[in-house]
Every structure is written in C-alpha cells, then in structure tokens.
Amino acid sequence: MPGSSRGARLVATLASALLLFTTAAACGSDDDSGSDAAGADKSASANSAFPVTLAHKYGNTTVKSEPKRIVTVGLTDQDAVLALGKVPVGTTEWLGGYKGAIGPWAADKLGSGKTPTVLKDTGTGPQTEKIAGLRPDLILAVYGGLTKDQYTTLSKFAPVVAQPKQYNDFGVPWQQQTEIIGKALGQESAAKDLVKGVESDFATAAKDNPEFAESTGVMATPYEGIFVFGSQDSRSRVLTDLGFKLPTDLDKVIGDKFGANISKERTDLLNTGTAVWIVGDRAKDEAKLHKNALYGDLDVVKQGREVFVEETSDYGNSVSFVSVLSLPYMLERLVPQLAAAVDGDTATKVTEPTS
C-alpha cells in the first residue's frame, strides 16, 4: 500500500504464505514455555474427548491426547486457543507490534502463561527449525495456506491440522476455525458456545441497524491500486454477517482468491451502500483515492458513505484479524461507523473511533 509497509504486509503476508519453503532439519530445545491456563478439572474433561480425528485439505489428522505444547502456524489461530483456556508455546506473527503476537483484545487471556515464542514467515514458509525446537505436540494451521510439502514436513514433528479443504486458503470462516480448534483441543462444546456468543453480538448489531440488510458493502484497501476482498475473506464476512450484501460480480472478478486488485474498468464494484477502506494514512490515502476520477465520481464518495479504518491502530488490526476474540472489540467500533454511512443522510459524518 502506498505510504504504508504494514499495508503491504496486510495483503502480501497472506500471499507469501502460499509459497513453498525449503525443508529444514529439526533442532532440539530446552524451552519449557507454554501453559494450560485452565485448571485440572478442564484438563480431565478434555482428556475424555481423545483421540479425535480432524479432516482438512491434506487428509485426516488424529490428535491422540490433550495437547500441552501448541504451535499456531495459522495467522489468527492463537485467539481460539486462548479463548479456550490454553496458551500456545509458539505463535506466527502477521500484523506485528504485539508481544507474543497477541492483540489487546486477547491479552487478558494469557493469564499466568508464558508469553509465546513468535515465529515469522518472511515468504519462505513456516520456520521449521524453530517450530521443531519448541517441541510441539500439536501444530495448528487452520487460518492459513500450507502447501502439501509444508504440511508433510511439519507433520514429522507433531500432528498438524491444516486449512479445511472446502474453503480457499485463508478463507475459513472464524466460526469454523474456532470449532475446528476446539475439537483439536478436546473442547468442541466450549468452542461452539464461544461461537454462539459472538454470533449473538452480530445478531444484536444487525437487529439494531435494520438498514444494514437493505445495503450493499465492500471491504477494500489501496494496495498497489485498489485491492478488494472477496466473499471468502473474513473481512467481507463481517459485512455479510451484519446483513450487508456484497457486489454481485465480486467473486467473478476476484476468482478463487481471498481478494485481488481490480482493473480500472471494474471500479464500479466499489459503488455500494458503503465502502470500507483499510488504509495506512487516512488523509493521504483518502485524498489519493478521491483524485481518481473513476472512483471519486462514484455516489459512494459524493454521498459520504465511505468508512476509513487506520490499519496501524489496534482497531484497524482487529478489523483484519477477525477472530473469536477480536470481533467483539471490532464491532464496538465498526458498527457505529457503518450506521453513520448508510443512514440515508448525506450530512452525517462517518467519524473514526476515539480509542
């Protein structure tokens, strides 16, 4: 994204995770980090759920007993683990800036557990040696894009739960992500309860704002032009879960990806009830977008129906993270902006959250 290295990472990190990586040898470690933040009663209950088998893109994985040392390769998988009372020994950094790759919406779930070791994917795939050194007994890659070779290599160290095959890579809905991880941890029922709680938040927001169901919306970012997120991206699902409809031709233009840059000829996709922009610099990016005649002359601009989200803020990060823990935090801030955008009064200003 122009003027924002983190904007580029927002899109490029997801894309780079699809690349093959060179198989590396495992190394040992005496790191004893990691903690079960729940008590013994929860552990006893969880143990009764094992063994458990989970289907995914590359077959089936069986988890024989309650995992104690969990590494999350999926970019947002740590939140579901934390929400279920466990602290991963390793997490994979996506947005950056957070100790242990744990956002402020999830920090209180760390409890007395040791801050996870943060792994990085610089475009060559998961850090195999570091993952092996953490001595995991479960590797979660649910919100991810592991290749078959990556999956095979990681499976040498521990059972690996890869992305589900019925969705695009990085396309698993947060509900299914939470439930898959819950099943892997022996807490399937608890995971479903967590999902119901957040879905209730969405239902309340939709009920309180019936105009959402009468509107269309789209999520986009000015990365290398205009990058629009498709229906299988978690950000777009936030809009549809609130009642919005996506542009009719969106997936036809994007194809089988979580999102894509659109041509000048398809700028019309942005002429919706509201356009939600994830930007690096509100003033600069807004001005640049509005100078583009193909976009600046659209009704969504002229009628003040845009929503701008600063990507480097905690709020901006929560919009992209889309997890069982980040969503309530995000909804408190996004819903008022959306309501202002689609209230039918062009004089209503869409203001940014104060915190």
Side-chain angles (χ1 to χ4, degrees):
M1 179 183 300
S4 173
S5 60
R6 294 187 69 183
R9 185 160 58 242
L10 179 71
V11 175
T13 300
L14 288 175
S16 68
L18 301 176
L19 300 175
L20 288 171
F21 71 98
T22 303
T23 301
C27 66
S29 171
D30 54 6
D31 180 0
D32 287 323
S33 63
S35 168
D36 186 343
D41 289 343
K42 183 177 284 187
S43 294
S45 175
N47 274 323
S48 65
F50 296 97
V52 62
T53 299
L54 299 102
H56 51 76
K57 185 174 182 178
Y58 301 118
N60 297 293
T61 293
T62 297
V63 182
K64 296 181 179 180
S65 59
E66 182 185 1
K68 304 290 186 182
R69 300 183 60 81
I70 303 161
V71 170
T72 59
V73 172
L75 300 181
T76 64
D77 290 353
Q78 62 266 41
D79 276 14
V81 175
L82 289 163
L84 290 165
K86 288 185 175 291
V87 178
V89 296
T91 55
T92 298
E93 184 176 78
W94 176 20
L95 300 173
Y98 298 127
K99 188 177 181 181
I102 296 174
W105 50 82
D108 64 337
K109 300 295 183 180
L110 186 61
S112 60
K114 185 175 179 180
T115 302
T117 296
V118 177
L119 305 162
K120 298 180 183 293
D121 180 351
T122 59
T124 57
Q127 292 179 296
T128 311
E129 291 188 6
K130 288 188 176 181
I131 292 173
L134 291 172
R135 295 181 287 109
D137 53 16
L138 177 65
I139 299 172
L140 295 171
V142 183
Y143 182 70
L146 285 184
T147 65
K148 181 62 180 295
D149 286 347
Q150 291 169 352
Y151 168 76
T152 300
T153 298
L154 291 177
S155 296
K156 296 176 182 177
F157 314 130
V160 179
V161 182
Q163 65 269 31
K165 64 181 178 180
Q166 63 267 43
Y167 302 105
N168 295 343
D169 289 350
F170 301 101
V172 60
W174 66 268
Q175 296 97 322
Q176 281 69 38
Q177 174 195 34
T178 303
E179 292 178 6
I180 290 168
I181 292 173
K183 187 174 181 180
L185 301 186
Q187 299 187 51
E188 188 171 10
S189 178
K192 289 181 177 180
D193 287 341
L194 287 170
V195 169
K196 288 179 181 178
V198 178
E199 286 184 333
S200 177
D201 292 340
F202 273 94
T204 297
K207 182 179 179 180
D208 291 344
N209 297 277
E211 63 274 16
F212 290 174
E214 303 300 322
S215 303
T216 55
V218 66
M219 284 266 191
T221 185
Y223 170 70
E224 294 186 351
I226 293 177
F227 188 100
V228 178
F229 297 100
S231 70
Q232 286 204 40
D233 184 79
S234 297
R235 282 151 287 219
S236 293
R237 289 198 185 101
V238 166
L239 293 179
T240 55
D241 285 347
L242 287 170
F244 288 88
K245 299 176 183 64
L246 300 178
T248 303
D249 292 341
L250 183 62
D251 284 349
K252 181 179 179 181
V253 173
I254 289 174
D256 61 348
K257 299 180 178 65
F258 65 89
N261 286 99
I262 59 173
S263 65
K264 294 179 180 179
E265 291 75 19
R266 292 319 313 260
T267 309
D268 62 290
L269 290 172
L270 298 161
N271 201 28
T272 53
T274 183
V276 181
W277 288 99
I278 303 173
V279 297
D281 186 305
R282 164 68 188 269
K284 290 182 179 179
D285 287 329
E286 181 178 4
K288 186 172 183 178
L289 284 166
H290 290 179
K291 285 181 180 178
N292 177 348
L294 290 175
Y295 174 71
D297 287 339
L298 296 178
D299 287 342
V300 69
V301 177
K302 292 180 178 179
Q303 296 175 10
R305 292 189 264 109
E306 298 167 293
V307 171
F308 287 93
V309 179
E310 293 270 2
E311 67 177 4
T312 55
S313 66
D314 291 338
Y315 167 42
N317 284 336
S318 72
V319 170
S320 291
F321 216 75
V322 191
S323 73
V324 69
L325 292 180
S326 71
L327 284 167
Y329 178 97
M330 179 212 65
L331 286 174
E332 289 180 4
R333 294 155 177 81
L334 179 62
V335 169
Q337 287 187 294
L338 293 172
V342 300
D343 71 348
D345 185 353
T346 57
T348 302
K349 292 185 178 296
V350 181
T351 59
E352 297 178 37
T354 56
S355 64

